[in-house]
Amino acid sequence: MSPIIIKLIFVSIVFGISLFVAMYSTYAERKVAAFLQDRLGPNRAGPFGLLQPLADGVKLFFKEEFIPLKADRWLFLMGPGFFMITALMTSAVIPFGPDLKIGDTVIPLQGTDLNVGLLYIFGVVSLGVYGVLIGGWASNNKFSLLGAIRAASQNISYELAMGLSIIALVMMTATLSMREIVDQQSGWHWNVLYQPLGFLIFLVCAFAETNRAPFDLPECETELVGGYHTEYSSMKLGFFLFAEYINMFISSAVIATLYFGGYHAPFIDSMDPGMLKTFLSIGVLFAKIFFFIFFFMWVRWTLPRFRYDQLMNLGWKMLIPLAVVNIIITGIVLLMKM
Amino acid sequence: MQLTNKRKHMARKPMTFLERIYLPAIVKGMGITLSHLFKKKATIQYPEQKRPMSEVFRGLHILKRDDQGAERCTACGLCALACPAEAITMTAAERKPQDKHLYREEKYAEVYEINMLRCIFCGLCEEACPKAAIFLQNDKMAPASYEREDFIFGKDRLVEPFLLKKS
Ligand code: SF4
Ligand code: SF4
């Protein structure tokens, strides 16, 4: 098979998996929320309510399609699509496992191994806010606009701290390629053990970037109705909500890759290379990803939402200085090692 | 005056460093929520599983029959008088000789209606009735409906079913 076809197949599998995980994240979110609140959650559609995401999807498809009269039609339609695309694009550089060897063909389990993979992720993630901004702006509704503006300012503020926390990591790894960063972490050399502060900053920023509670101000129901997607209905709303879960999946994958050794786990690294090892590695990565998805939900159902000024204070006055300090410490330690 | 010893003296102190970085509090909170993951769930799976009702629960009314299966109500109107919500209306009629087995007293309620939207289920009608004719059941509630008319319960829905009494 030509490499292009292999790549196409791989990309569609990743696409499918992202959608599937996002779909069941909505279910998991409701279950986790319910269990943390001593309830049972959805359990009527299918065994354990497992068909609930399908039912939700069908419901969204059959809802009335509504576009506000004064809305900018094209931008209004573009918003959700843009958000979705950028959410999915990030997965291109995530290494899902070591190379898969079938006969003579070697299939790299990564969309593409960019040598600036980390930068690419940053670029795409910051594009993501355009979907929200466009959608909010085009709705011609003040709540939507406020939500969109919040999203934009929040993303800009937290991108800084996130970038700075990553710089410390890059100083250590001396590479921007995701694959190399993962391969440096084999065994117990997980970056989180060397960069705990950087990890913490990155984690907080990841919450802010994905608009998840406690930083879900762009869609804060108590003040802004639905935030940027107030005017959206039917599957366009579904796209926004869905993309949020894809974002969550991808950022869990990024966290696992950057700080928790990606597809590496000590007991698997010592195995002989082969099919089994490859699949176990993929399994390990997904276990880590699912843990972080759970973690996202766990935090959401524990912490109250930040106030807007608190959010900005945290971002600018705490995280950025901390990230700078982290860079300095990392620099000193690296210098001493040399 | 102190009624309970639950009172707690709160002083507004400036936050300590640990409080200001939120993290210990966040970890503690997450521990609490995690512990709830494994707790017993409070949900009652309604249609399959029903919450046991109290013996003295005041639900849907029933107009009782006596041992012979005759209606006990004599349309005296005391229940309507007692009703604070004015939910009960009735029309009295004189019993025909051939209807002796149907109505216990010589006067009976031809029409007897309770408006379940007005009723507050206080049970005063039950207490007012001199003939022990009206009761509030403890195992049945007024069902939901889309139409207001459906909430006006006439004798067809209030009188105790005949057959049940026999068995
Ligand atoms: S229960 Fe109370 S409100 Fe209802 S009909 Fe009887 S007296 Fe009236
Ligand atoms: S139910 Fe009782 S109180 Fe009401 S009219 Fe009949 S006999 Fe009188």
Side-chain angles (χ1 to χ4, degrees):
Chain A
M1 270 194 288
S2 75
I4 294 194
I5 296 182
I6 292 177
K7 199 106 269 181
L8 265 180
I9 295 174
F10 175 73
V11 167
S12 10
I13 290 176
V14 169
F15 178 69
I17 289 177
S18 309
L19 290 186
F20 186 78
V21 170
M23 200 164 108
Y24 272 92
S25 299
T26 61
Y27 166 77
E29 169 111 83
R30 293 170 65 179
K31 274 288 189 198
V32 169
F35 273 73
L36 292 183
Q37 297 169 347
D38 296 346
R39 295 183 284 117
L40 288 176
N43 61 355
R44 290 294 151 136
F48 305 108
L50 275 174
L51 298 179
Q52 189 65 39
L54 288 182
D56 286 342
V58 169
K59 184 198 84 174
L60 279 171
F61 268 117
F62 282 104
K63 287 277 169 180
E64 186 193 352
E65 187 93 29
F66 180 78
I67 299 181
L69 197 61
K70 289 275 175 59
D72 187 325
R73 218 185 143 78
W74 286 109
L75 288 184
F76 189 79
L77 291 178
M78 243 173 77
F82 203 82
F83 197 40
M84 190 71 150
I85 290 171
T86 45
L88 283 168
M89 256 162 69
T90 334
S91 60
V93 293
I94 291 171
F96 283 97
D99 293 346
L100 181 64
K101 288 194 190 68
I102 304 177
D104 287 339
T105 37
V106 176
I107 307 170
L109 295 182
Q110 188 178 14
T112 167
D113 187 13
L114 287 182
N115 56 359
V116 288
L118 208 45
L119 280 187
Y120 170 83
I121 289 185
F122 270 81
V124 175
V125 163
S126 30
L127 279 182
V129 76
Y130 279 93
V132 173
L133 200 55
I134 290 173
W137 169 261
S139 310
N140 194 24
N141 173 318
K142 41 182 167 305
F143 293 123
S144 303
L145 185 60
L146 276 173
I149 290 173
R150 279 183 177 188
S153 55
Q154 175 178 327
N155 270 35
I156 290 168
S157 318
Y158 278 78
E159 230 148 61
L160 280 176
M162 197 182 212
L164 289 177
S165 71
I166 283 298
I167 284 180
L169 183 76
V170 171
M171 279 162 70
M172 247 181 59
T173 59
T175 175
L176 285 170
S177 148
M178 295 294 270
R179 164 91 49 187
E180 278 175 42
I181 291 178
V182 172
D183 283 338
Q184 283 173 3
Q185 302 181 62
S186 59
W188 275 114
H189 298 286
W190 291 4
N191 280 335
V192 64
L193 303 176
Y194 302 101
Q195 287 280 344
L197 187 58
F199 165 68
L200 202 66
I201 297 168
F202 188 85
L203 189 69
V204 174
C205 295
F207 274 91
E209 295 279 315
T210 47
N211 296 337
R212 291 282 301 181
F215 304 116
D216 56 346
L217 287 131
E219 45 191 303
C220 136
E221 305 88 355
T222 34
E223 305 159 20
L224 296 182
V225 193
Y228 58 87
H229 52 59
T230 305
E231 292 288 357
Y232 281 90
S233 62
S234 181
M235 210 49 205
K236 294 203 287 309
L237 174 69
F239 256 50
F240 267 131
L241 302 181
F242 215 64
E244 192 190 313
Y245 284 97
I246 295 178
N247 266 334
M248 210 163 91
F249 169 58
I250 301 290
S251 34
S252 302
V254 171
I255 293 173
T257 312
L258 291 184
Y259 287 98
F260 283 83
Y263 49 76
H264 285 297
F267 62 95
I268 289 179
D269 289 333
S270 51
M271 276 170 60
D272 302 328
M275 277 295 234
L276 184 67
K277 184 181 174 182
T278 308
F279 282 110
L280 276 181
S281 303
I282 300 174
V284 164
L285 177 65
F286 273 90
K288 288 172 186 171
I289 292 177
F290 291 146
F291 171 75
F292 277 103
I293 291 180
F294 171 73
F295 186 76
F296 268 89
M297 293 170 183
W298 181 14
V299 167
R300 172 168 180 187
W301 297 104
T302 303
L303 300 183
R305 185 181 295 124
F306 271 56
R307 219 169 47 213
Y308 199 64
D309 58 324
Q310 290 172 330
L311 175 88
M312 285 296 159
N313 271 341
L314 182 72
W316 290 96
K317 293 194 193 155
M318 296 271 292
L319 292 183
I320 292 180
L322 266 181
V324 173
V325 168
N326 189 34
I327 290 177
I328 294 171
I329 294 174
T330 314
I332 292 174
V333 171
L334 282 180
L335 267 183
M336 286 201 313
K337 266 195 187 163
M338 283 202 307
Chain B
M1 188 179 65
Q2 196 173 352
L3 292 177
T4 63
N5 53 4
K6 283 183 186 161
R7 193 170 66 171
K8 225 177 174 179
H9 187 69
M10 303 295 276
R12 190 155 197 182
K13 285 188 242 103
M15 287 203 284
T16 61
F17 176 72
L18 276 183
E19 279 168 345
R20 252 185 306 148
I21 60 171
Y22 297 127
L23 284 177
I26 288 176
V27 171
K28 202 170 134 202
M30 307 238 324
I32 292 173
T33 41
L34 193 67
S35 74
H36 276 266
L37 199 62
F38 308 106
K39 284 210 177 123
K40 203 176 161 293
K41 308 297 169 216
T43 310
I44 293 175
Q45 299 275 328
Y46 170 59
E48 296 94 42
Q49 211 183 354
K50 283 189 180 132
R51 187 193 288 269
M53 295 239 235
S54 157
E55 280 291 302
V56 293
F57 181 82
R58 301 191 295 263
L60 195 67
H61 309 67
I62 189 168
L63 282 172
K64 286 289 201 185
R65 294 176 189 277
D66 68 2
D67 302 344
Q68 274 74 48
E71 284 175 27
R72 304 181 72 107
C73 174
T74 181
C76 64
L78 282 178
C79 50
L81 195 70
C83 178
E86 303 189 345
I88 306 179
T89 53
M90 71 192 73
T91 314
E94 203 173 326
R95 180 181 69 184
K96 308 256 164 35
Q98 69 270 27
D99 287 344
K100 213 163 182 177
H101 61 291
L102 286 179
Y103 311 107
R104 204 163 80 134
E105 313 291 338
E106 279 168 22
K107 193 175 113 196
Y108 74 100
E110 197 177 22
V111 179
Y112 189 102
E113 284 177 348
I114 301 181
N115 187 337
M116 292 299 168
L117 286 179
R118 302 200 60 140
C119 175
I120 54 171
F121 300 96
C122 61
L124 286 182
C125 45
E126 181 180 314
E127 278 180 43
C129 183
K131 301 284 178 191
I134 190 160
F135 285 96
L136 272 64
Q137 291 152 288
N138 68 356
D139 54 351
K140 247 190 212 160
M141 284 187 248
S145 175
Y146 288 107
E147 307 294 334
R148 274 168 179 270
E149 290 77 48
D150 293 346
F151 286 100
I152 298 175
F153 277 54
K155 278 184 80 171
D156 52 333
R157 286 191 282 177
L158 286 173
V159 179
E160 188 179 19
F162 203 52
L163 290 173
L164 274 181
K165 196 70 204 175
K166 282 273 168 72
S167 62

